Amino acid sequence: MAWRRGKLTAILLIFEVVFIVLFGILVVYDDQANATATQNSLTPAQGGADADNNVLRAYYPMFQDVHVMMFIGFGFLMTFLKKYGFGSVGFNFLVAAFVLQWATLMSGFLHLHHGKIVVDITTLLTSDFAAAAVLISMGAVLGKVSHIQLIIMAFVEIIFFSINEWVGLTFFKAVDVGGSMFVHAFGAYFGLAVARVLYREDMVGHSKEGSNYHSDIFAMIGTVFLWLFWPSFNAALAPGDDQHRAVINTYFSLAACAVVTFAISSAVEKDGKVNMVHVQNATLAGGVAIGTSADMMVHPWGALLIGSIAAVLSVVGYSYITPFMADKLKIHDTCGVNNLHGMPGVLAGIIGAIVAAVASPAQYGNSVYQIFPARAPIENSTELATIQAAFPAIEAGNGRSAGLQAGFQMAALIVSVLVALVTGALTGLLLRLPIWDQPEKDSMYEDEDYWEIPEEEAVDMNGSLEGVGHKKPDSRARTESDTNNEQDTKV
Amino acid sequence: MAWRRGKLTAILLIFEVVFIVLFGILVVYDDQANATATQNSLTPAQGGADADNNVLRAYYPMFQDVHVMMFIGFGFLMTFLKKYGFGSVGFNFLVAAFVLQWATLMSGFLHLHHGKIVVDITTLLTSDFAAAAVLISMGAVLGKVSHIQLIIMAFVEIIFFSINEWVGLTFFKAVDVGGSMFVHAFGAYFGLAVARVLYREDMVGHSKEGSNYHSDIFAMIGTVFLWLFWPSFNAALAPGDDQHRAVINTYFSLAACAVVTFAISSAVEKDGKVNMVHVQNATLAGGVAIGTSADMMVHPWGALLIGSIAAVLSVVGYSYITPFMADKLKIHDTCGVNNLHGMPGVLAGIIGAIVAAVASPAQYGNSVYQIFPARAPIENSTELATIQAAFPAIEAGNGRSAGLQAGFQMAALIVSVLVALVTGALTGLLLRLPIWDQPEKDSMYEDEDYWEIPEEEAVDMNGSLEGVGHKKPDSRARTESDTNNEQDTKV
Amino acid sequence: MAWRRGKLTAILLIFEVVFIVLFGILVVYDDQANATATQNSLTPAQGGADADNNVLRAYYPMFQDVHVMMFIGFGFLMTFLKKYGFGSVGFNFLVAAFVLQWATLMSGFLHLHHGKIVVDITTLLTSDFAAAAVLISMGAVLGKVSHIQLIIMAFVEIIFFSINEWVGLTFFKAVDVGGSMFVHAFGAYFGLAVARVLYREDMVGHSKEGSNYHSDIFAMIGTVFLWLFWPSFNAALAPGDDQHRAVINTYFSLAACAVVTFAISSAVEKDGKVNMVHVQNATLAGGVAIGTSADMMVHPWGALLIGSIAAVLSVVGYSYITPFMADKLKIHDTCGVNNLHGMPGVLAGIIGAIVAAVASPAQYGNSVYQIFPARAPIENSTELATIQAAFPAIEAGNGRSAGLQAGFQMAALIVSVLVALVTGALTGLLLRLPIWDQPEKDSMYEDEDYWEIPEEEAVDMNGSLEGVGHKKPDSRARTESDTNNEQDTKV
């Protein structure tokens, strides 16, 4: 495989050089992080910034939670594959680090200020959110594509992800505080479309596609950190009481989701046992399902209900829909992202639309115009003046009714799913080019071809099995003596 | 075991439906999280809330630390059992998620505002604290009870936990900033009483009750996160300088505790080796032992001393008291919670009483009335007026002397331990009902009966051993071919 | 090995008693954490402290991130050694907990206030930073020294570390916000000097010095948490916009570093595979390399470039320089700290000097005097008065030019490396005293001699291999029957 040597290196270095050049031309610090800004050389009394209240402080704890979700959460969640642990946590790391830079640029292109991309802590946070979309897509194709394909997919996906989100937020003025439509549903259906196009029969029922006892425990590190920090994911960008509410709603949705996951898992499994796949994944569906409505007035009971429904949907998905999709629709979904991000993301969008349809100023006060900016009265109207007298932070909107806002929420959901499917399919076609080195059957779900594997492993994992003739060795011989062993013991 | 299928599902779903109904009737957002509250539709200048200073921001970082402690900390700490890793981290997850909801209700019943349970970030935090009590109790019975028994135990324990804490705080006006008496000692002695009642001889010296190399490293994930975030646990609910002091005291107590744990472990073990059990557990005893007095003026040297004593107590407990209790008192304590939470919790209560006995306004200033509210002068007294002139946050108290406060501290400690023992024993009797499916000897300390175990495991963990005839296979056959393999290779 | 029993215990207890005594004599709470301080008994309106703005809140989230880096980050990063997992995470825990106390004292001796060591949250943070230096040195000698040697090394190193940092900050007035010179380079070269003096041929090419599949995944827990929280490490002590900038710079430097690490790893490895050693370590070099200049105006593109260069340097170091040093220079560096902390630390210092050389008031405004205090005009000068009129926080400095500051930066770097090498070598000589029980060849890179190892391991890890005669058992017999097994199966 000497071919790969140059290829991965070249692709990554070319991208990195382009990133550095584009950053050099375009990216500047926000005034809150820029020593040159006059405000940072004056006291507050003189109109300077208050160093003790730099915007960094408001966002940093939740930013770090989200950061942990991306790299520990997604990275370890995927280590459940027994022979693909390096690839799971390692390629997750590579892809996410790549996206942090590329998403800063792509999102920046769409939000230029005087021709520059201005970065502050919220930029870092939204780049992490963008990484989530790609990592979700990666879950659909995990173990079935090369690292090069992952990088190409990440590059292309971020383009469409950024545009779709920008259209949804700017033109539809749909709201989605936790990114359930724009991140989770988009990432899932993009990845599933890629998986559909890349489908080969030998991907399904593969002997190496499975977990072992310790790989399942490693995966729980990812699960639990995702579950714990999901309130930060859903609340990080909301202000004041909206943020507080988003934390409460997500916390309760996830608590109910975890309990109901165990209930339903035990109901659908043989002998009433609990399935680790469900615990690793379906417990998180409550975080997705409440994402769009997390800052809305769903009330704590509503959060519990949403989390409970998400758990049922997700467990049923893992047990019945994933096998159906693999068998009948030729969509093989390694991590079951349809069940954790896809269907719960769609559910989130629908719930968001329903809650938007019943949101009234009577219940929300002026917050209704903060949560749904398009519902604020139009510019220069007397209604707007009245509202701004009490709450100057409200900006002019489109004067939408609750029902109209709900319609735009549904439109944004549908468009997100469709754009994801179409652009994902196109990306899948691109990824089928032989140049990207898609792995053959023997190299799937396995680190062997991509990673230097510790030598001892060849003995630890297979040596004893060889000795008793259970199956042929998985690991390739690394030394002459290993090779001899293999030959000696093959049955 | 088809019986279990319906049972776990039914129990969890019934509870969840009840939770949703009760939440619907009773639980409302605090004004700080409620869009309907007028304050959130006005600027601060008009009497509105300052969105940048929502109470969420003050508590959230420490809340998340505590959240990590409950689910990663306790969950992974218990994965030391080599065949019960799924149950440890998985049932910890289930039980804690269950308690977050139930404790919100139970605590809310005792603190109704106009007939409603008002939730904000501090509610989430105190529900996490309540989860700690149950997870500690779970440590005493780990591997010996069914998941159904754990849920029933959690349900009953939270009732008594909440009432005991409420009595201690409201009537005794005892203080316990880190919950060492009300959470740690209560949880430990409740669990030990349950363990005593459930005791069977076959629970002791069980071949599966032990760790292996990697399960011990997984457990260290739990240990280290508990150790790191314990300052947040002890300080999260304290204000201003009290909180700052609680962080410093807990940090130093834990640092000394870790060092002394290694010293004493090496002293009591054969050949001067260090015992992982001690490192995983006794290193944390310093966090418990300083819990009650964490916000008091124990001084940094006092914190080091308290942590050091806790380490000695805890290591000695693991080496001598746990075996004694199992042999002589028929109390088998799987995780040694008596050594980590029980005795250090009692120590914490005693230290708290001693420090309370010497706390004077000369040393504490007006903080003495903030830390010990019952020591504030009684309503309408001139003493109170003088204090409130300087520090309006002080509310009327009971005019207690330092000695009287110390007496109430001791009373709260004794009552907590007694209530825990009695209600734990009663709960144990309840859990002995056959309906809850307590596992038989062969199913103890093992995931087999409760979890779908990855198929390969049957080969990885036992296959090769079968081949050389060491012991009979632990994993049940999952497929026909597996069954054949087993038969083929049995010697 | 009964000798060790008393020894470790005695050494640790003696140190702990001394710590308690010295804390009792010297250490007091800062006013922000001291109930006795009048400010905590008054309202802000009366000149009291604002409890909602206690300094704790500003530092706590980043402090906890750094705390996680020390104990989870370094602890798990070192678990890559397949047979030294307990020692890696366990001795890391012991050493760090020891240093938290000792560094508080040593740093305190150099910064006495009225004869007292005053502790607040920043003390805890700087003690954690000091721990980093020792843990880095530990990486160079990992598996080759006894726990007693580690404690002695930590004790001695902290003395020189504290003095070197104090000289660099106080006399050279060099700046190093992320501690790349004073922590990373110092720790690395101190440890390498120790390793050189302790060098024995049997340390190199040792059969137990290596990873296995799961130990490499455990190590990734450490890597990823270090990578995620490094922005906190570099920014924790910076104010306002400087802190914000340090977060942004470190985030981008690390993102580029991760991508380029994969690129270069694949270029230098056989068959274009990626090497886990590089991913575990070189991905972090970007955090070190930007440490000194993290709060300076390196711009986002500069951060990407610095991270990219650090990745190349670090991967090349692992592939070529580490083997060279072991073979030719007799410096065996277990964790490759030269590549992660040493060379990137030197690079950081050089970058810091270069950026300092071009830092002008035109670009930085008054921040230039905040970031480089020695550049502030001298006391009583009119220049100073002008600056202070706008920005009173600026204190009188030395009126240094940019070039002079750059020179002092270089001087501090060179002195740090030299002091580390000389004091490390002296410490190595001290550690060669037989009294500290340096392990023999058979005991290196292995937990066996230092830890109680779970009994089952003898079967799980080797039993099956014994059965098929691949190699002789690694684990020592623990019971009579184990011993018999060994004898039966030895080939």
Side-chain angles (χ1 to χ4, degrees):
Chain A
M1 279 172 299
W3 46 263
R4 187 181 288 127
R5 180 180 192 149
K7 213 180 279 184
L8 180 70
T9 305
I11 288 172
L12 293 178
L13 289 185
I14 289 168
F15 273 121
E16 193 59 51
V17 169
V18 171
F19 290 166
I20 293 174
V21 170
L22 290 175
F23 267 63
I25 298 169
L26 290 169
V27 179
V28 297
Y29 299 120
D30 180 80
D31 278 357
Q32 292 253 356
N34 188 354
T36 317
T38 316
Q39 66 183 39
N40 297 316
S41 291
L42 297 173
T43 59
Q46 294 173 315
D50 180 359
D52 288 338
N53 281 307
N54 191 290
V55 67
L56 179 76
R57 296 242 168 109
Y59 288 96
Y60 197 72
M62 287 193 176
F63 156 70
Q64 274 294 2
D65 292 350
V66 172
H67 213 35
V68 170
M69 291 175 76
M70 295 305 111
F71 289 83
I72 290 285
F74 283 113
F76 277 88
L77 181 57
M78 297 196 282
T79 57
F80 77 95
L81 284 176
K82 61 180 173 259
K83 292 175 178 299
Y84 201 72
F86 288 12
S88 295
V89 68
F91 294 152
N92 183 89
F93 190 6
L94 170 63
V95 167
F98 175 89
V99 171
L100 295 189
Q101 301 168 68
W102 175 226
T104 298
L105 289 169
M106 255 317 293
S107 172
F109 296 153
L110 299 167
H111 301 91
L112 291 174
H113 293 264
H114 305 294
K116 292 291 181 184
I117 296 170
V118 180
V119 300
D120 68 2
I121 179 68
T122 64
T123 315
L124 312 189
L125 185 53
T126 51
S127 295
D128 266 277
F129 286 143
V134 177
L135 299 178
I136 291 164
S137 303
M138 179 175 158
V141 297
L142 190 73
K144 297 175 293 193
V145 296
S146 68
H147 41 23
I148 296 173
Q149 286 176 303
L150 287 173
I151 288 293
I152 300 300
M153 184 183 84
F155 175 72
V156 177
E157 180 169 357
I158 285 299
I159 298 172
F160 296 118
F161 164 83
S162 301
I163 293 171
N164 178 66
E165 189 188 48
W166 179 67
V167 168
L169 294 175
T170 309
F171 290 95
F172 290 73
K173 295 196 178 176
V175 304
D176 188 20
V177 71
S180 294
M181 300 191 293
F182 300 136
V183 175
H184 292 283
F186 184 92
Y189 291 110
F190 186 97
L192 292 168
V194 171
R196 175 66 189 81
V197 174
L198 296 184
Y199 180 86
R200 284 197 326 250
E201 288 215 345
D202 59 12
M203 289 171 175
V204 184
H206 196 290
S207 67
K208 292 169 192 159
E209 190 197 359
S211 63
N212 66 28
Y213 196 65
H214 279 170
S215 75
D216 267 330
I217 297 179
F218 277 118
M220 284 299 288
I221 299 173
T223 296
V224 179
F225 273 110
L226 285 169
W227 192 90
L228 290 168
F229 290 158
W230 214 294
S232 299
F233 192 95
N234 283 351
L237 290 171
D241 63 299
D242 305 357
Q243 183 174 56
H244 198 154
R245 194 159 56 251
V247 166
I248 293 170
N249 289 339
T250 308
Y251 174 96
F252 282 120
S253 176
L254 286 165
C257 185
V259 169
V260 175
T261 293
F262 277 85
I264 307 300
S265 181
S266 174
V268 301
E269 289 294 319
K270 195 161 62 83
D271 297 335
K273 292 185 181 182
V274 179
N275 190 326
M276 217 7 141
V277 174
H278 302 155
V279 173
Q280 284 160 359
N281 293 280
T283 51
L284 302 167
V288 179
I290 200 147
T292 307
S293 60
D295 58 345
M296 303 181 193
M297 291 291 288
V298 297
H299 299 290
W301 69 266
L304 294 184
L305 183 62
I306 291 167
S308 300
I309 294 169
V312 176
L313 181 68
S314 190
V315 173
V316 167
Y318 276 101
S319 289
Y320 304 109
I321 300 176
T322 294
F324 171 83
M325 283 169 53
D327 288 355
K328 307 294 177 191
L329 307 183
K330 300 191 176 178
I331 303 173
H332 177 270
D333 179 3
T334 312
C335 295
V337 299
N338 184 49
N339 313 305
L340 169 46
H341 305 279
M343 296 188 300
V346 170
L347 176 63
I350 295 170
I351 292 169
I354 293 171
V355 181
V358 299
S360 68
Q363 190 184 18
Y364 286 77
N366 290 329
S367 285
V368 81
Y369 311 116
Q370 192 176 43
I371 297 174
F372 305 104
R375 293 197 55 191
I378 57 171
E379 205 141 11
N380 298 322
S381 61
T382 50
E383 291 90 342
L384 184 65
T386 311
I387 292 162
Q388 287 182 331
F391 212 60
I394 304 297
E395 295 177 12
N398 304 50
R400 279 190 197 157
S401 68
L404 192 57
Q405 179 64 33
F408 275 101
Q409 293 288 132
M410 281 307 297
L413 172 63
I414 293 164
V415 167
S416 288
V417 172
L418 288 179
V419 170
L421 289 172
V422 171
T423 61
L426 293 173
T427 307
L429 288 174
L430 172 66
L431 294 181
R432 286 177 65 171
L433 294 180
I435 191 178
W436 312 126
D437 300 326
Q438 177 153 356
E440 292 308 309
K441 180 177 180 186
D442 283 352
S443 305
M444 288 196 299
Y445 310 114
E446 191 175 56
D447 287 323
E448 200 65 39
D449 272 9
Y450 300 97
W451 295 86
E452 297 284 341
I453 306 289
E455 287 202 24
E456 183 114 355
E457 256 353 75
V459 179
D460 269 1
M461 282 172 48
N462 307 304
S464 56
L465 299 173
E466 292 167 34
V468 291
H470 270 120
K471 57 175 185 177
K472 68 174 195 162
D474 292 315
S475 297
R476 309 254 167 104
R478 296 280 304 266
T479 65
E480 207 173 357
S481 68
D482 278 340
T483 313
N484 290 339
N485 277 344
E486 274 185 41
Q487 289 168 343
D488 291 351
T489 55
K490 251 178 207 149
V491 185
Chain B
M1 279 173 298
W3 45 263
R4 187 182 287 129
R5 180 176 191 149
K7 214 180 280 184
L8 179 70
T9 304
I11 288 172
L12 293 178
L13 289 185
I14 290 168
F15 273 121
E16 194 58 50
V17 169
V18 171
F19 290 165
I20 293 173
V21 170
L22 290 175
F23 266 63
I25 298 169
L26 289 169
V27 179
V28 297
Y29 299 119
D30 180 78
D31 279 357
Q32 292 254 356
N34 187 355
T36 316
T38 317
Q39 65 182 42
N40 296 316
S41 292
L42 298 172
T43 60
Q46 294 174 315
D50 180 359
D52 288 338
N53 282 306
N54 192 291
V55 68
L56 179 76
R57 296 242 168 110
Y59 288 96
Y60 196 71
M62 287 193 174
F63 157 70
Q64 274 295 0
D65 292 350
V66 172
H67 213 34
V68 169
M69 290 174 77
M70 295 306 111
F71 290 81
I72 290 285
F74 282 114
F76 277 87
L77 180 58
M78 297 195 283
T79 57
F80 77 95
L81 284 177
K82 61 181 173 259
K83 292 175 178 298
Y84 200 72
F86 288 12
S88 295
V89 68
F91 294 152
N92 183 88
F93 191 6
L94 170 63
V95 167
F98 175 89
V99 171
L100 296 189
Q101 302 168 68
W102 176 226
T104 298
L105 289 169
M106 255 318 294
S107 172
F109 295 153
L110 298 168
H111 301 91
L112 291 175
H113 293 265
H114 306 294
K116 293 290 181 186
I117 296 170
V118 180
V119 300
D120 68 1
I121 180 67
T122 64
T123 316
L124 311 189
L125 185 53
T126 52
S127 294
D128 266 277
F129 285 143
V134 178
L135 299 177
I136 291 164
S137 302
M138 179 176 160
V141 297
L142 190 74
K144 298 175 294 194
V145 296
S146 69
H147 42 23
I148 297 173
Q149 286 176 302
L150 287 174
I151 289 293
I152 301 300
M153 185 183 82
F155 176 73
V156 178
E157 179 169 358
I158 285 300
I159 298 171
F160 296 118
F161 164 83
S162 300
I163 294 171
N164 178 65
E165 189 189 47
W166 179 66
V167 168
L169 294 174
T170 310
F171 291 95
F172 290 72
K173 297 198 177 173
V175 304
D176 188 20
V177 72
S180 294
M181 300 191 293
F182 299 136
V183 175
H184 292 284
F186 184 93
Y189 291 109
F190 186 97
L192 292 169
V194 171
R196 176 63 189 84
V197 175
L198 295 183
Y199 179 86
R200 285 196 326 250
E201 288 215 347
D202 59 12
M203 290 171 175
V204 184
H206 196 289
S207 67
K208 292 169 194 159
E209 189 197 359
S211 62
N212 66 28
Y213 196 65
H214 279 169
S215 75
D216 266 331
I217 297 179
F218 277 119
M220 283 301 288
I221 299 173
T223 296
V224 179
F225 273 110
L226 286 169
W227 192 89
L228 290 168
F229 291 159
W230 214 293
S232 299
F233 192 95
N234 283 351
L237 291 171
D241 63 299
D242 304 357
Q243 184 175 55
H244 199 154
R245 195 162 53 250
V247 166
I248 293 170
N249 289 338
T250 308
Y251 174 96
F252 282 120
S253 177
L254 286 165
C257 186
V259 169
V260 175
T261 293
F262 277 84
I264 307 299
S265 180
S266 174
V268 301
E269 289 294 319
K270 195 161 63 81
D271 296 334
K273 292 185 182 182
V274 179
N275 191 327
M276 220 4 146
V277 174
H278 302 155
V279 174
Q280 284 161 359
N281 293 280
T283 51
L284 302 167
V288 179
I290 200 148
T292 306
S293 60
D295 59 345
M296 302 181 194
M297 292 290 288
V298 297
H299 300 289
W301 70 266
L304 295 184
L305 183 62
I306 291 166
S308 300
I309 294 169
V312 176
L313 182 67
S314 189
V315 173
V316 167
Y318 277 100
S319 289
Y320 305 107
I321 300 176
T322 295
F324 171 83
M325 283 169 52
D327 288 356
K328 307 295 177 188
L329 307 183
K330 299 189 177 180
I331 303 174
H332 177 270
D333 179 2
T334 311
C335 295
V337 300
N338 183 49
N339 313 306
L340 169 47
H341 305 279
M343 296 189 300
V346 171
L347 176 64
I350 295 170
I351 292 169
I354 293 170
V355 181
V358 299
S360 67
Q363 190 185 19
Y364 286 77
N366 290 328
S367 285
V368 80
Y369 310 116
Q370 192 176 43
I371 297 174
F372 306 103
R375 293 197 54 190
I378 56 170
E379 206 141 10
N380 298 321
S381 61
T382 50
E383 291 88 342
L384 185 64
T386 310
I387 292 162
Q388 287 181 331
F391 212 61
I394 303 298
E395 294 176 13
N398 304 52
R400 278 189 198 158
S401 69
L404 192 57
Q405 178 64 32
F408 276 102
Q409 293 288 131
M410 282 307 298
L413 172 64
I414 293 164
V415 167
S416 289
V417 172
L418 289 179
V419 170
L421 289 171
V422 171
T423 61
L426 293 172
T427 306
L429 289 174
L430 172 65
L431 294 181
R432 286 177 65 172
L433 294 179
I435 190 179
W436 313 124
D437 301 326
Q438 176 152 358
E440 292 307 311
K441 181 178 180 186
D442 283 351
S443 306
M444 289 196 298
Y445 310 114
E446 192 176 54
D447 287 323
E448 202 61 43
D449 273 9
Y450 300 98
W451 296 86
E452 297 284 341
I453 305 290
E455 288 201 25
E456 183 113 357
E457 251 0 67
V459 179
D460 269 1
M461 280 171 51
N462 308 303
S464 55
L465 299 172
E466 292 166 33
V468 291
H470 271 121
K471 56 176 185 176
K472 67 175 196 164
D474 291 315
S475 296
R476 311 250 167 107
R478 295 279 305 267
T479 65
E480 206 171 357
S481 68
D482 278 339
T483 313
N484 290 339
N485 276 344
E486 274 184 41
Q487 289 166 344
D488 290 350
T489 56
K490 250 177 208 153
V491 185
Chain C
M1 279 171 298
W3 45 264
R4 186 181 289 127
R5 181 177 191 150
K7 214 181 279 185
L8 179 70
T9 305
I11 288 172
L12 293 178
L13 290 185
I14 289 168
F15 273 121
E16 194 58 52
V17 169
V18 170
F19 290 166
I20 294 174
V21 171
L22 290 175
F23 267 64
I25 298 169
L26 289 169
V27 179
V28 297
Y29 299 119
D30 180 79
D31 278 357
Q32 292 254 356
N34 187 355
T36 315
T38 316
Q39 66 182 41
N40 297 315
S41 291
L42 297 172
T43 60
Q46 294 173 314
D50 180 0
D52 288 338
N53 282 306
N54 191 289
V55 68
L56 180 77
R57 296 241 168 111
Y59 288 96
Y60 197 73
M62 287 193 174
F63 157 70
Q64 274 294 1
D65 293 350
V66 172
H67 213 36
V68 170
M69 290 174 77
M70 295 305 111
F71 290 82
I72 290 285
F74 283 113
F76 277 88
L77 180 57
M78 296 195 282
T79 57
F80 76 96
L81 284 177
K82 61 181 173 257
K83 293 176 176 299
Y84 200 72
F86 288 12
S88 295
V89 69
F91 295 151
N92 183 89
F93 191 5
L94 169 63
V95 166
F98 175 88
V99 171
L100 296 188
Q101 301 169 68
W102 175 225
T104 298
L105 289 169
M106 255 318 294
S107 171
F109 295 153
L110 298 168
H111 300 92
L112 291 175
H113 292 265
H114 304 295
K116 292 290 181 184
I117 296 170
V118 180
V119 298
D120 67 3
I121 180 66
T122 63
T123 315
L124 312 189
L125 185 54
T126 52
S127 294
D128 266 277
F129 285 143
V134 177
L135 300 177
I136 291 164
S137 303
M138 180 176 159
V141 297
L142 191 74
K144 298 175 292 192
V145 295
S146 69
H147 41 24
I148 296 173
Q149 285 176 302
L150 288 174
I151 290 292
I152 300 301
M153 185 183 82
F155 175 72
V156 178
E157 180 170 358
I158 286 298
I159 297 171
F160 296 118
F161 163 84
S162 300
I163 293 172
N164 178 66
E165 188 188 48
W166 179 67
V167 168
L169 294 175
T170 309
F171 291 96
F172 291 72
K173 296 197 178 175
V175 304
D176 188 20
V177 72
S180 294
M181 300 191 294
F182 300 138
V183 175
H184 292 283
F186 184 92
Y189 291 110
F190 186 98
L192 291 169
V194 171
R196 175 64 189 83
V197 174
L198 295 183
Y199 180 85
R200 283 197 328 249
E201 288 215 346
D202 59 10
M203 290 171 174
V204 185
H206 196 290
S207 67
K208 292 169 193 159
E209 189 196 359
S211 62
N212 65 29
Y213 196 65
H214 280 170
S215 74
D216 266 330
I217 298 179
F218 277 118
M220 283 301 288
I221 299 173
T223 295
V224 179
F225 273 110
L226 285 169
W227 192 90
L228 291 167
F229 290 159
W230 213 293
S232 299
F233 192 94
N234 282 351
L237 290 171
D241 63 300
D242 305 356
Q243 183 175 56
H244 198 153
R245 195 160 54 250
V247 166
I248 293 171
N249 289 339
T250 308
Y251 173 95
F252 283 119
S253 177
L254 286 165
C257 185
V259 169
V260 175
T261 293
F262 278 84
I264 307 299
S265 181
S266 175
V268 300
E269 289 294 318
K270 196 161 61 81
D271 296 334
K273 292 186 181 182
V274 179
N275 192 325
M276 218 7 142
V277 173
H278 302 154
V279 174
Q280 284 160 0
N281 293 280
T283 51
L284 302 167
V288 179
I290 200 147
T292 306
S293 61
D295 59 344
M296 303 180 193
M297 292 290 288
V298 297
H299 300 289
W301 69 268
L304 295 184
L305 183 62
I306 291 167
S308 301
I309 294 169
V312 176
L313 181 68
S314 191
V315 172
V316 168
Y318 276 100
S319 289
Y320 305 108
I321 301 176
T322 295
F324 171 83
M325 282 168 54
D327 288 356
K328 308 295 178 189
L329 307 183
K330 299 190 175 179
I331 303 174
H332 178 269
D333 179 3
T334 311
C335 296
V337 300
N338 184 50
N339 314 305
L340 169 47
H341 305 278
M343 296 188 300
V346 170
L347 176 63
I350 294 170
I351 292 168
I354 293 171
V355 182
V358 299
S360 67
Q363 189 184 20
Y364 286 78
N366 290 329
S367 286
V368 79
Y369 311 116
Q370 193 176 42
I371 296 175
F372 306 104
R375 293 197 55 191
I378 57 170
E379 206 142 10
N380 298 322
S381 60
T382 49
E383 291 89 343
L384 185 65
T386 311
I387 292 162
Q388 287 181 331
F391 212 62
I394 304 298
E395 293 177 14
N398 304 51
R400 278 190 198 160
S401 68
L404 192 57
Q405 179 64 34
F408 276 103
Q409 293 289 130
M410 282 307 298
L413 172 64
I414 293 164
V415 167
S416 288
V417 172
L418 289 179
V419 169
L421 288 172
V422 172
T423 61
L426 293 173
T427 305
L429 289 174
L430 173 65
L431 294 181
R432 285 177 67 171
L433 295 179
I435 191 177
W436 312 125
D437 301 326
Q438 177 152 357
E440 291 307 310
K441 181 177 180 186
D442 283 351
S443 306
M444 289 195 299
Y445 310 114
E446 193 176 54
D447 287 324
E448 201 64 41
D449 272 10
Y450 300 97
W451 295 87
E452 297 284 340
I453 306 290
E455 288 203 21
E456 184 113 357
E457 249 1 66
V459 179
D460 269 0
M461 282 171 50
N462 308 305
S464 56
L465 299 173
E466 290 168 35
V468 289
H470 271 119
K471 58 172 184 175
K472 67 174 198 166
D474 291 316
S475 298
R476 309 251 168 108
R478 295 283 305 268
T479 66
E480 206 172 359
S481 67
D482 279 338
T483 313
N484 291 340
N485 276 345
E486 273 184 41
Q487 288 168 343
D488 291 350
T489 56
K490 251 178 206 153
V491 185

